[in-house]
Amino acid sequence: MSEEFEALKEFITSSSTDMVELESLLTAKKALAPESGGDGELEKLEVLEDYLKKNGINRLERYDAKDSRVSSGIRPNLVATIPGNRDDYCIWLCAHLDVVPTGAMKLWDSDPWTVVQKDGKIYGRGVEDNQQGLVSAVFAALAFVKQHIIPEHTIKLLFMADEECGSAYGMQYLVREHLDIFGKNDRILIPDGGDANGETIEIAEKNIFWLRFRTIGKQAHGSRPDQGNNATLAASDLALRIHSLEKHFDRRDPLFDPPYSTFQPTMREANVSSVNIIPGEDVMYADCRINPCYSLDEVRKEVSRIVKEVEERYSVKIEVSEVQAESSTPTPQNAPVVKDLAEALKAVHGIDARCVGIGGGTVGAYLRNAGYDCVVWSSLDETAHQPNEYAIISNIIKDAETIAYMAARP
């Protein structure tokens, strides 16, 4: 490795105390969406913005989305730029500012909004999701700034709003209103998912299809089912038929775990209030995660067929609504961002990376659908959204080194 990279690496390795300090500053600001009873991300963003300026990162641009539900009226998105020697492409690190609520406080061993350091870990809400990736990105950039080394490729740090509640004011807003900030050749990394070793590079997501089924029958006394049309009975048959679509859409993709499409009946709303009432209405939901080889239109067609069959068999009416419908185009395994990240992991840490897909959703889907290759990657234990969420300090350092290598390579 070059002397310059060794200097970058030495700075990053020696910055663990400062990394914990930044994590502590950010955790103290409760960046909760209004859907979660919060006032958005602005206070947290301002703390971060001030930290960047004080440490020599001054090229800052805001892309705020309007949101009347929060006191400031905006949901902030910030891009920090560290200019490089070459203009062939930029290296993007995209992290989100918002966090999820704490859940039951009795499940926490410490105050979720105050970072606690113990045994090489830091605990607190948001320290992993997504502050770990955010802090790794910041200190990879600071390594260049503090060591007075110009990165070979321009570094772009993107700090987004609203990831936890759908990204309407974050990445979706940026893709819709400011897509030109990205370049087609840019290497876009989203440090918001991964594995304990940092060896998996997520390049694909299953299509997400959430459905609500309202079955309308006729209520009757429990002793006279002949006088009614049992909505719950019809809905139960419907649930089994929806689940059976796993056998219809049966192509497997080894990128994913599980490798097949899943069709799972999940939530059910309360119907009648007594055992001796034949329900006249039933509302249930299904969570479907579909391999990208199938389109949502193909699934819609089969769901419509099943619904019609159940309606005819039980003499009921079924109203279908889509709670969520997201399709995602995969990033090719030979895309430059995949190859460059894999090379960095091998060179810096001796890691042989492998490509994977996930069943969940990330902001990467919006970029991919807009024609921009990106990857989701990080070294973490995946404690996001859990009580006693933690980040391993050595992982923050490790990932910052990987990012710095990518920006320093010719």
Side-chain angles (χ1 to χ4, degrees):
M1 296 184 187
S2 69
E3 288 185 11
E4 281 194 347
F5 179 70
E6 289 299 337
L8 297 170
K9 189 175 178 182
E10 183 178 348
F11 171 84
I12 292 168
T13 303
S14 64
S15 296
S16 61
T17 300
D18 294 329
M19 292 173 175
V20 174
E21 178 191 0
L22 180 54
E23 281 267 20
S24 300
L25 289 170
L26 297 174
T27 301
K29 303 303 178 183
K30 302 177 183 179
L32 294 166
E35 292 93 331
S36 300
D39 197 36
E41 305 86 358
L42 183 59
E43 189 177 2
K44 183 173 180 177
L45 185 279
E46 289 175 340
V47 168
L48 176 59
E49 202 168 19
D50 184 58
Y51 185 91
L52 295 174
K53 290 177 180 178
K54 285 180 178 179
N55 284 278
I57 298 178
N58 298 303
R59 285 192 54 176
L60 305 174
E61 298 170 278
R62 289 273 291 273
Y63 299 89
D64 297 342
K66 294 181 180 179
D67 187 352
S68 61
R69 299 173 302 165
V70 296
S71 59
S72 66
I74 60 168
R75 306 292 292 279
N77 299 284
L78 174 69
V79 175
T81 301
I82 297 85
N85 285 320
R86 299 168 60 166
D87 295 326
D88 50 351
Y89 62 82
C90 298
I91 296 174
W92 285 85
L93 287 307
C94 308
H96 64 86
L97 296 158
D98 57 323
V99 300
V100 296
T102 61
M105 293 291 287
K106 66 181 181 181
L107 299 177
W108 287 81
D109 296 334
S110 58
D111 176 9
W113 306 110
T114 302
V115 165
V116 172
Q117 184 175 347
K118 182 181 179 183
D119 299 329
K121 300 175 181 177
I122 50 174
Y123 293 83
R125 175 53 84 223
V127 295
E128 182 189 87
D129 184 22
N130 188 211
Q131 289 165 203
Q132 178 181 316
L134 184 157
V135 173
S136 288
V138 167
F139 276 85
L142 284 178
F144 290 94
V145 174
K146 296 295 188 180
Q147 297 300 102
H148 305 288
I149 297 172
I150 299 175
E152 196 65 25
H153 305 278
T154 294
I155 300 170
K156 295 276 191 177
L157 308 179
L158 170 58
F159 309 104
M160 304 170 289
D162 194 35
E163 190 273 346
E164 298 292 2
C165 293
S167 293
Y169 302 91
M171 186 60 86
Q172 286 202 67
Y173 167 76
L174 293 170
V175 168
R176 184 179 68 252
E177 301 293 338
H178 301 285
L179 187 59
D180 58 349
I181 65 175
F182 301 103
K184 286 289 186 179
N185 295 321
D186 288 351
R187 281 40 166 177
I188 305 175
L189 279 69
I190 302 164
D192 194 21
D195 67 282
N197 297 322
E199 64 185 15
T200 54
I201 300 174
E202 186 261 285
I203 62 169
E205 299 174 14
K206 290 184 179 180
N207 298 333
I208 300 176
F209 200 34
W210 290 0
L211 295 168
R212 180 182 187 269
F213 301 94
R214 179 180 177 227
T215 303
I216 304 167
K218 182 181 178 182
Q219 185 172 308
H221 193 281
S223 66
R224 294 300 305 270
D226 56 306
Q227 294 181 351
N229 293 315
N230 193 324
T232 295
L233 182 62
S236 298
D237 190 358
L238 176 64
L240 291 172
R241 292 175 188 237
I242 293 296
H243 177 58
S244 72
L245 289 177
E246 291 185 4
K247 297 179 180 179
H248 182 87
F249 297 100
D250 60 354
R251 272 181 265 168
R252 295 184 169 236
D253 188 333
L255 270 181
F256 297 98
D257 188 12
Y260 51 86
S261 301
T262 57
F263 293 79
Q264 293 291 315
T266 54
M267 187 170 68
R268 205 157 204 166
E269 296 181 9
N271 49 21
V272 294
S273 57
S274 178
V275 176
N276 63 347
I277 300 175
I278 299 293
E281 183 173 330
D282 185 282
V283 178
M284 73 164 191
Y285 297 77
D287 182 339
C288 311
R289 310 285 173 134
I290 302 149
N291 283 349
C293 59
Y294 297 108
S295 71
L296 291 186
D297 282 341
E298 291 178 89
V299 178
R300 290 185 180 103
K301 182 178 179 180
E302 285 303 306
V303 169
S304 295
R305 177 185 62 79
I306 287 172
V307 164
K308 185 177 180 181
E309 289 177 354
V310 173
E311 285 179 326
E312 291 176 353
R313 179 173 180 179
Y314 295 93
S315 299
V316 296
K317 173 66 177 175
I318 301 174
E319 298 174 352
V320 183
S321 54
E322 297 180 6
V323 179
Q324 186 173 356
E326 298 285 350
S327 298
S328 177
T329 302
T331 292
Q333 294 195 40
N334 63 350
V337 64
V338 178
K339 294 192 292 185
D340 289 358
L341 176 56
E343 178 188 324
L345 289 168
K346 183 66 173 178
V348 182
H349 304 296
I351 292 173
D352 292 313
R354 57 189 175 87
C355 293
V356 299
I358 62 170
T362 73
V363 298
Y366 308 118
L367 286 165
R368 291 175 183 137
N369 288 343
Y372 293 79
D373 291 336
C374 62
V375 296
V376 177
W377 158 85
S378 206
S379 306
L380 42 75
D381 283 358
E382 294 193 316
T383 61
H385 300 204
Q386 299 177 25
N388 300 313
E389 176 184 352
Y390 67 82
I392 299 173
I393 297 170
S394 61
N395 281 341
I396 302 175
I397 294 170
K398 174 183 173 183
D399 289 357
E401 291 171 343
T402 303
I403 295 164
Y405 182 91
M406 291 183 69
R409 67 186 292 275

